[in-house]
Amino acid sequence: MNERDQVLQAAAELVAAFARNDREAYFGAFSADASFVFYTLEQPLLSRDAYQALWDSWRAEDGFEVLACTSSNAFVSLQGDVAIFIHDVATELRMQGEHHFTQERETNVYTTQATSQDHHGHRLP
């Protein structure tokens, strides 16, 4: 499997884990020092643990649950040992008993070296 296909596979697995609310598989796809930027937050989350804590608080306090998530319009740019993955993400979720639908564009950064960390924290197999 070439590097582009590895990125596409890793991204598909990440989206699938998110879509089925598989907390362990979803967060397992990120390195411990991954960083996350959400437009709804005032500042970035600078570790996987910080994001997990926020996720857990959303679930406990707001009844957060992902109902569906699909990826489309994928683009992969290979830059040495870094791969940049851009896609459109359609997400349906429930918070505080209400259904929400979002359509966003997301960028994930992957590294092809398991010992190197990257901006968004994804590692390729």
Side-chain angles (χ1 to χ4, degrees):
M1 180 181 310
N2 65 37
E3 286 182 63
R4 183 178 185 283
D5 290 341
Q6 288 180 325
V7 172
L8 292 172
Q9 179 181 341
E13 290 171 4
L14 180 73
V15 169
F18 183 76
R20 68 179 182 268
N21 284 290
D22 186 338
R23 183 183 181 278
E24 287 71 31
Y26 179 66
F27 285 104
F30 299 102
S31 62
D33 65 347
S35 57
F36 305 87
V37 177
F38 297 103
Y39 73 91
T40 56
L41 300 179
E42 293 180 15
Q43 54 191 314
L45 301 171
L46 301 179
S47 71
R48 179 181 60 202
D49 288 347
Y51 182 19
Q52 282 180 297
L54 179 61
W55 173 288
D56 291 343
S57 73
W58 287 340
R59 292 193 70 152
E61 298 168 17
D62 298 320
F64 173 81
E65 181 182 9
V66 180
L67 303 173
C69 184
T70 58
S71 171
S72 61
N73 299 320
F75 172 77
V76 176
S77 177
L78 300 172
Q79 305 290 325
D81 66 347
V82 171
I84 301 166
F85 174 78
I86 300 168
H87 65 146
D88 294 333
V89 184
T91 304
E92 183 182 355
L93 53 87
R94 181 178 11 246
M95 287 188 82
Q96 298 177 342
E98 295 183 17
H99 279 74
H100 299 271
F101 179 81
T102 61
Q103 180 71 41
E104 303 168 303
R105 182 158 294 124
E106 180 179 77
T107 301
N108 298 336
V109 179
Y110 294 83
T111 181
T112 57
Q113 295 179 1
T115 58
S116 297
Q117 303 305 319
D118 62 294
H119 168 67
H120 202 343
H122 298 290
R123 290 177 296 208
L124 295 177

